[in-house]
Amino acid sequence: MAESGVTDGLCNTDDIERSKTEGKELTKEEKQRLRKEKKQQKKNKEKNDEKTSHEGEKKKNKKKKEEQPAGSASQPPAQPSPKAVPAPAPPPPAAAAVPVPASEAPAPADKPAKSKADLKAERASKGKKGDVGQPAPTGKLKAPPSELQPVVKRLPEHVQVDNPEVVKKLAKKLERQQIPLRSDYGYKVSLFSHLHQYSRKAPLTQQLGIPSTVIHPAIVRLGLQYSQGIVAGSNARSVALLHAFQQVIRDYTTPPNEELSRDLVNKLKPYISFLNQCRPLSASMGNAIKYIKKEISNIPSQCKEEEAKIKLLNCIERYINEKIVLAAKAIAKYSIEKISDGDVILVYGCSSLVNHILCEAFEKKRKFRVIVVDSRPRLEGREALRRLVQKGISCTYVLISAVSYILPEVSKVFLGAHALLANGYVMSRVGTSQIALVAKAFNVPVLVCCETYKFCERVQTDSFVSNELDDPDDLIVTRKGKTQLEHWQKVPSLGLLNLVYDVTPPDFVDLVITDLGMIPCTSVPVVLRVKNVDQ
Amino acid sequence: MRRRHNHPDVVPNHFHRQHTHTQTPSCPVSPLISSRFYTTTMPAPDKEIDLTERIEAFLSDLKRGGSGTGPLRGSAEMARETTALLRRIAAQARWSNAGDLMEIIRTEGRRMTAAQPSETTVGNMIRRVLKIIREEYARSRGSSEETDQQESLHKLLTSGGLSEENFRQHFAALKANVIEAINELLTELEGTTDNIKMQALEHIHSNEVIMTIGRSRTVEAFLKDAARKRKFHVIVAECAPFCQGHKMATSLSEAGIETTVITDAAIFAVMSRVNKVIIGTQTVLANGGLRAVNGTHTLALAAKHHSTPLIVCAPMFKLSPQFPNEEDTFHKFVSPHEVLPFTEGEILSKVNVHCPVFDYVPPELITLFISNIGGHAPSYIYRLMSELYHPEDHEL
């Protein structure tokens, strides 16, 4: 990377390489040197780019976490090539301005730079034909809400695994952040070649040096818990993430000559990349991270460090309380109205929210019984079964292939959700759409329970384009001493597919119960709009 | 060597004496069998023991084989064995007219179906053989059986009660004819898989994505035959808890077919990408519905939702005159240990666990049946039924 241009680049790179391998954080000077080199490279490249035509280069985006201006005005070339990809805007020397249009929270120092970038962007977009535009949907903050923004989102990296360019850029970025890259495992089914497939037996932390000072140990532990499946379920993951961030904030000290609001956000970026490598982030985690970054950037610069930290910790505490704990209470209150005596309720897998609702309803002396449906290979239903049986609720347990046998007995189906998409589709654990389909065929009402912080602005119509592939070795099972698929890797034409999520069309879902009330599936974009205006 | 069978009750005295004379030099006869008398010098008691032993062995096999971990033997084998046994009964048991034989077969048949109610091929074969006997009888008598069935109403009116056939007439050639006809049936049974295989190329084009569930030997042969000439992709749903799909997938991939194993939960998720669903079944019911391995109903619903054709490969011997209304005999359950193992001890005693083996698939969800005599729509099944079985045999 630093080979070209700069004269003393060679000896500097040696130093940098050495410190990288030792796992120490690059010193400030080294960082600045790197930045300068990259700026040089960029200038050379820009000259070439302006001559050649613009191609629609795909943008990488980790759920809009990266477009932080990150104090970009003061550190212009801090955005290396992977991120500064809005190709249409011919990157001027003030390259910092380029990612700004795609940012969400405008820091005050960016305003002059932004207007210049805006002009340039307009010029560029006039030249191009309706291509890669500017702000992410949360650009509504800047523009008047009545105007419809040309919303174009950057395609997340984790759904572009089949594009070698994107993969290379990610590798470069991770190298810069000193995070190891996790490699794919096993033969991937061709339908899903655009997604990652990792093995649980090769956790990312094996490639980290000890001690690793780049990543906070709480984050390392969290990443490991994610990748091994110890912390699973979207609520649990979000709460664990927020607690880890609280720990990070507590241990954080602002370096001299830096502002907390900008530096802390920069610190969080490699952590988020690391967690993403351990396990792709969920929609709820994405929303939580957006919120934290916004809160951090909104800290006024004259605020003392201790005060700022306490403020942030309280913010996070409040977020957890409002969006998760109180939301669960509100949803339980609404749902109990829907549970009547003598009901037979079917639940699938282990949703913390649905379990909470059922326990609450049982405490309110409703008479019902529960059928827990489970599926291989995760068998999460057993956990739900344990919790319900401990409360004293009478339960039945079947596997998902027996659902059409058991459904004639069922009066209601309660499902949890991982995320609710803007076109009304429900993204949830794989198998949910199947249960909804069979319930519809038997005319049994399907109710989805979901907090509003899980609503996301993505749209999706099938389960292929954006999903998560789990370890394929999980499908292997030993029955009666024989393991059929033991040597599946040796057979070239055999593939195992272990999907994690699927999307349920809105016509299968009768009602969505959220903390704002009971809404139909198609009202999700309305809720999103209302939320954004509030914020 | 011809043997004349005499009913034990009507044995005349001189035969009795003859029997005591011949009894000593021949092989030892157990007291149980000594009540049956034979007039020839052949070691006839052997055959009798042989036959009963075989029937008993078959019955105990049936009872044991139904432990539910998937069929220990395929349905085709079961059908062949049943037919072979019935041929043996026809050859070795004592009967003088068609009615007797039918009575014997019906009795044994009831015992066999009682041993394993879910194994419907046994009952089907018995009914086929009964129909064969009727046909042969009618042919010996000189009337044609086809007109009998179609104009039964007319016959009822005109002949008034003549439809009460008691099959008591004795025909010398009947036995040979019956055995020959059963041999033909056996030949047909042996060729069923091949006949179905040969139709594979008519239904599978290249670059298709085909979905199947569990393990069916018929579908396996079907797909392997098509793979000789065409390139396509197969997705196999593993069908928990027995995971028969794993074996199917390894077998298909060893034949060079691009195979993917998915969990049952992902059936709807991947269905949008599937062109055809090809499944096997345990039984085809009289209304055109299926009794197939559990999970098939979900698969059929998903296919219907995506308007994907559902093709069932089922040979004719799986066609059964039962209807799905009999709630208590339709479902079969196996040990819930497969679903929730005993290692989950502390909650095991407090929950109900179900592990059904079969699923009912209504005929509206099925597009095509492929059998050894060609392809049919589900609405045509009732006609095939009337050709294979006589209405009076529907209840054994």
Side-chain angles (χ1 to χ4, degrees):
Chain A
M1 272 199 301
E3 300 92 69
S4 61
V6 186
T7 49
D8 58 352
L10 284 169
C11 37
N12 288 345
T13 44
D14 283 342
D15 288 336
I16 294 174
E17 288 301 322
R18 211 185 313 129
S19 49
K20 267 195 204 163
T21 49
E22 287 166 14
K24 278 195 287 211
E25 204 165 348
L26 299 178
T27 62
K28 196 133 186 281
E29 300 81 48
E30 285 162 355
K31 273 194 200 159
Q32 277 184 341
R33 244 180 270 143
L34 257 180
R35 275 184 231 132
K36 279 200 199 115
E37 285 155 12
K38 290 210 181 97
K39 196 173 167 187
Q40 278 291 329
Q41 282 175 31
K42 243 218 199 140
K43 272 197 192 140
N44 299 341
K45 222 178 66 162
E46 284 144 29
K47 286 191 197 119
N48 297 340
D49 273 352
E50 279 178 19
K51 291 176 201 151
T52 61
S53 55
H54 304 293
E55 300 124 290
E57 251 187 303
K58 291 205 189 87
K59 295 182 181 173
K60 255 187 334 119
N61 181 19
K62 297 224 189 286
K63 311 224 193 267
K64 311 176 201 98
K65 293 181 290 298
E66 277 113 42
E67 330 68 272
Q68 273 307 314
S72 35
S74 56
Q75 307 166 19
Q79 315 306 321
S81 31
K83 273 198 272 201
V85 168
V98 168
V100 165
S103 76
E104 333 137 21
D110 286 332
K111 280 227 169 61
K114 189 179 47 165
S115 50
K116 232 198 294 180
D118 266 347
L119 288 171
K120 286 211 174 66
E122 277 162 44
R123 244 189 291 140
S125 51
K126 271 186 221 145
K128 292 203 62 151
K129 293 194 173 68
D131 197 353
V132 181
Q134 321 314 320
T138 46
K140 285 178 193 148
L141 289 167
K142 302 191 281 284
S146 55
E147 214 183 278
L148 285 173
Q149 296 293 319
V151 171
V152 172
K153 303 169 193 152
R154 288 182 184 168
L155 212 51
E157 174 277 329
H158 72 270
V159 298
Q160 293 185 73
V161 176
D162 52 351
N163 186 350
E165 236 177 66
V166 171
V167 174
K168 245 193 327 183
K169 281 186 192 153
L170 171 70
K172 274 196 225 158
K173 175 175 135 193
L174 289 180
E175 202 182 313
R176 194 184 43 83
Q177 290 176 337
Q178 297 175 277
I179 293 169
L181 176 69
R182 200 168 182 196
S183 49
D184 284 352
Y185 165 78
Y187 169 70
K188 251 192 285 185
V189 178
S190 56
L191 288 171
F192 290 92
S193 59
H194 59 288
L195 298 173
H196 282 298
Q197 183 173 279
Y198 299 128
S199 164
R200 198 165 296 124
K201 294 200 190 67
L204 196 56
T205 47
Q206 280 178 353
Q207 303 166 41
L208 280 182
I210 297 172
S212 152
T213 52
V214 178
I215 308 177
H216 193 280
I219 302 280
V220 176
R221 188 180 67 182
L222 187 66
L224 206 53
Q225 284 173 334
Y226 282 167
S227 69
Q228 300 300 102
I230 300 171
V231 173
S234 65
N235 274 348
R237 283 165 72 188
S238 306
V239 170
L241 176 74
L242 291 169
H243 283 312
F245 276 177
Q246 278 184 325
Q247 187 61 37
V248 167
I249 291 174
R250 266 184 227 120
D251 295 340
Y252 172 74
T253 45
T254 324
N257 304 333
E258 293 275 358
E259 274 200 36
L260 181 137
S261 60
R262 282 186 219 125
D263 187 60
L264 185 55
V265 173
N266 269 350
K267 274 267 173 8
L268 289 182
K269 277 193 209 159
Y271 299 167
I272 293 164
S273 305
F274 174 73
L275 291 176
N276 209 17
Q277 284 291 295
C278 290
R279 189 174 164 192
L281 296 183
S282 63
S284 50
M285 288 163 72
N287 287 345
I289 290 173
K290 256 201 295 187
Y291 173 77
I292 291 182
K293 283 192 175 171
K294 191 168 78 77
E295 286 299 313
I296 295 177
S297 334
N298 283 346
I299 300 259
S301 38
Q302 62 269 25
C303 195
K304 284 212 220 8
E305 182 175 320
E306 280 311 311
E307 269 182 47
K309 279 164 65 163
I310 293 178
K311 202 160 143 207
L312 286 174
L313 292 174
N314 285 340
C315 269
I316 295 182
E317 206 51 55
R318 215 177 44 231
Y319 186 84
I320 297 179
N321 206 23
E322 270 175 33
K323 304 280 180 183
I324 302 179
V325 178
L326 288 179
K329 286 210 179 79
I331 294 176
K333 193 165 71 84
Y334 288 126
S335 314
I336 289 173
E337 295 168 28
K338 291 287 172 193
I339 300 179
S340 25
D341 282 346
D343 259 348
V344 179
I345 298 179
L346 186 126
V347 299
Y348 176 62
C350 185
S351 165
S352 51
L353 188 55
V354 175
N355 290 342
H356 178 81
I357 291 172
L358 292 176
C359 295
E360 288 281 310
F362 191 71
E363 270 163 35
K364 295 250 172 25
K365 307 283 184 254
R366 290 272 198 280
K367 306 261 175 307
F368 59 92
R369 66 182 178 93
V370 175
I371 298 180
V372 178
V373 177
D374 202 7
S375 78
R376 281 194 70 234
R378 287 175 168 243
L379 293 171
E380 292 171 327
R382 292 193 188 164
E383 184 55 43
L385 194 65
R386 264 178 229 122
R387 292 188 200 168
L388 295 174
V389 165
Q390 265 174 9
K391 280 276 174 173
I393 304 176
S394 67
C395 298
T396 307
Y397 178 78
V398 287
L399 286 181
I400 194 171
S401 40
V403 80
S404 56
Y405 160 73
I406 203 97
L407 216 83
E409 300 176 12
V410 173
S411 61
K412 291 192 180 70
V413 177
F414 272 79
L415 299 172
H418 168 89
L420 240 63
L421 305 176
N423 57 342
Y425 280 62
V426 179
M427 182 179 216
S428 183
R429 186 66 83 219
V430 67
T432 313
S433 55
Q434 217 163 290
I435 304 237
L437 168 79
V438 185
K440 192 83 185 167
F442 283 85
N443 273 326
V444 173
V446 174
L447 292 87
V448 171
C449 309
C450 182
E451 301 97 334
T452 45
Y453 87 105
K454 289 182 187 162
F455 286 18
C456 82
E457 275 139 10
R458 259 197 2 239
V459 290
Q460 203 176 316
T461 51
D462 62 25
S463 320
F464 293 93
V465 292
S466 173
N467 208 326
E468 192 183 322
L469 294 179
D470 209 356
D471 193 350
D473 288 334
D474 286 345
L475 290 186
I476 303 178
V477 69
T478 305
R479 281 183 54 85
K480 299 193 160 136
K482 279 204 292 192
T483 315
Q484 284 291 339
L485 294 177
E486 200 167 354
H487 306 289
W488 70 275
Q489 304 241 34
K490 298 206 183 90
V491 185
S493 43
L494 184 60
L496 303 186
L497 187 60
N498 191 356
L499 283 179
V500 180
Y501 297 119
D502 72 3
V503 283
T504 309
D507 33 345
F508 291 161
V509 177
D510 293 307
L511 188 65
V512 178
I513 306 180
T514 68
D515 38 324
L516 296 177
M518 302 197 245
I519 58 174
C521 233
T522 42
S523 301
V524 169
V526 176
V527 170
L528 281 170
R529 194 186 165 81
V530 165
K531 259 192 354 163
N532 282 335
V533 167
D534 281 346
Q535 285 170 3
Chain B
M1 174 126 24
R2 288 286 311 276
R3 228 189 314 145
R4 236 182 301 139
H5 299 266
N6 274 358
H7 205 271
D9 294 341
V10 298
V11 156
N13 268 338
H14 61 278
F15 285 119
H16 188 88
R17 254 181 283 137
Q18 211 174 19
H19 169 76
T20 49
H21 165 69
T22 54
Q23 196 175 18
T24 33
S26 44
C27 32
V29 178
S30 88
L32 289 167
I33 313 290
S34 60
S35 57
R36 305 214 186 182
F37 297 101
Y38 286 86
T39 56
T40 63
T41 52
M42 281 226 3
D46 258 355
K47 283 217 177 137
E48 197 60 30
I49 306 171
D50 203 32
L51 183 61
T52 340
E53 268 177 16
R54 277 178 197 268
I55 297 178
E56 294 303 324
F58 184 69
L59 283 172
S60 55
D61 217 4
L62 269 178
K63 278 198 196 122
R64 236 184 304 126
S67 59
T69 53
L72 285 183
R73 291 179 291 182
S75 313
E77 261 184 72
M78 191 63 79
R80 266 198 295 276
E81 279 202 30
T82 316
T83 317
L85 187 62
L86 290 173
R87 181 180 58 182
R88 200 176 276 276
I89 292 180
Q92 293 175 359
R94 307 177 60 225
W95 53 280
S96 58
N97 51 43
D100 282 346
L101 179 59
M102 281 167 57
E103 206 37 60
I104 295 176
I105 290 189
R106 242 194 280 266
T107 328
E108 296 300 333
R110 260 179 246 133
R111 287 177 67 199
M112 286 183 208
T113 43
Q116 189 61 249
S118 68
E119 196 60 60
T120 42
T121 20
V122 172
N124 296 346
M125 288 297 103
I126 291 166
R127 292 181 185 100
R128 287 289 288 272
V129 168
L130 287 172
K131 176 117 199 240
I132 285 176
I133 299 173
R134 281 175 205 265
E135 277 178 357
E136 291 301 325
Y137 183 79
R139 198 166 327 141
S140 305
R141 237 169 41 112
S143 65
S144 63
E145 192 62 21
E146 293 88 23
T147 49
D148 268 339
Q149 279 199 9
Q150 280 161 9
E151 293 155 23
S152 54
L153 269 176
H154 178 79
K155 271 204 100 169
L156 264 175
L157 270 170
T158 54
S159 42
L162 238 183
S163 52
E164 268 301 312
E165 266 298 341
N166 53 6
F167 296 97
R168 289 288 161 207
Q169 245 179 307
H170 173 76
F171 290 112
L174 185 62
K175 186 162 153 183
N177 287 346
V178 165
I179 293 184
E180 201 185 307
I182 296 183
N183 280 337
E184 276 175 26
L185 177 60
L186 269 171
T187 330
E188 184 195 317
L189 286 178
E190 265 149 42
T192 46
T193 315
D194 285 332
N195 285 338
I196 294 182
K197 254 183 14 185
M198 290 193 306
Q199 305 174 49
L201 283 174
E202 292 173 8
H203 296 281
I204 300 181
H205 58 259
S206 31
N207 276 331
E208 268 199 301
V209 178
I210 296 181
M211 184 173 229
T212 182
I213 186 169
R215 175 155 191 249
S216 162
R217 288 170 188 76
T218 317
V219 174
E220 206 180 308
F222 192 81
L223 293 175
K224 280 184 181 168
D225 194 76
R228 288 188 298 123
K229 300 269 174 61
R230 306 261 155 91
K231 273 249 151 301
F232 52 90
H233 189 129
V234 175
I235 299 182
V236 181
E238 67 178 4
C239 190
F242 308 115
C243 295
Q244 298 263 319
H246 291 186
K247 190 140 192 276
M248 175 88 153
T250 33
S251 158
L252 286 176
S253 57
E254 272 155 21
I257 304 178
E258 191 74 37
T259 321
T260 305
V261 178
I262 61 167
T263 52
D264 297 329
I267 287 178
F268 185 74
V270 304
M271 183 59 79
S272 55
R273 205 48 185 76
V274 173
N275 297 115
K276 284 194 177 76
V277 180
I278 302 183
I279 56 176
T281 174
Q282 202 258 0
T283 312
V284 179
L285 300 164
N287 63 346
L290 300 180
R291 188 211 251 162
V293 77
N294 67 340
T296 314
H297 189 208
T298 312
L299 182 64
L301 283 172
K304 187 80 181 186
H305 181 263
H306 288 96
S307 298
T308 311
L310 178 69
I311 299 176
V312 180
C313 290
M316 277 287 108
F317 62 80
K318 288 195 178 166
L319 202 55
S320 164
Q322 289 170 340
F323 278 90
N325 314 332
E326 303 112 35
E327 279 303 323
D328 45 347
T329 50
F330 185 85
H331 279 291
K332 176 176 147 183
F333 298 90
V334 291
S335 163
H337 163 75
E338 310 279 353
V339 174
L340 194 61
F342 295 118
T343 44
E344 306 278 336
E346 67 264 13
I347 46 174
L348 202 54
S349 51
K350 302 183 192 133
V351 300
N352 298 328
V353 182
H354 297 291
C355 188
V357 180
F358 297 123
D359 240 355
Y360 169 62
V361 181
E364 302 84 59
L365 301 175
I366 302 169
T367 319
L368 184 69
F369 280 98
I370 294 181
S371 72
N372 45 314
I373 51 181
H376 321 283
S379 46
Y380 188 64
I381 294 292
Y382 81 96
R383 197 87 189 110
L384 294 171
M385 194 86 63
S386 65
E387 283 172 26
L388 289 178
Y389 312 124
H390 196 271
E392 282 174 21
D393 294 331
H394 287 187
E395 283 295 321
L396 271 182

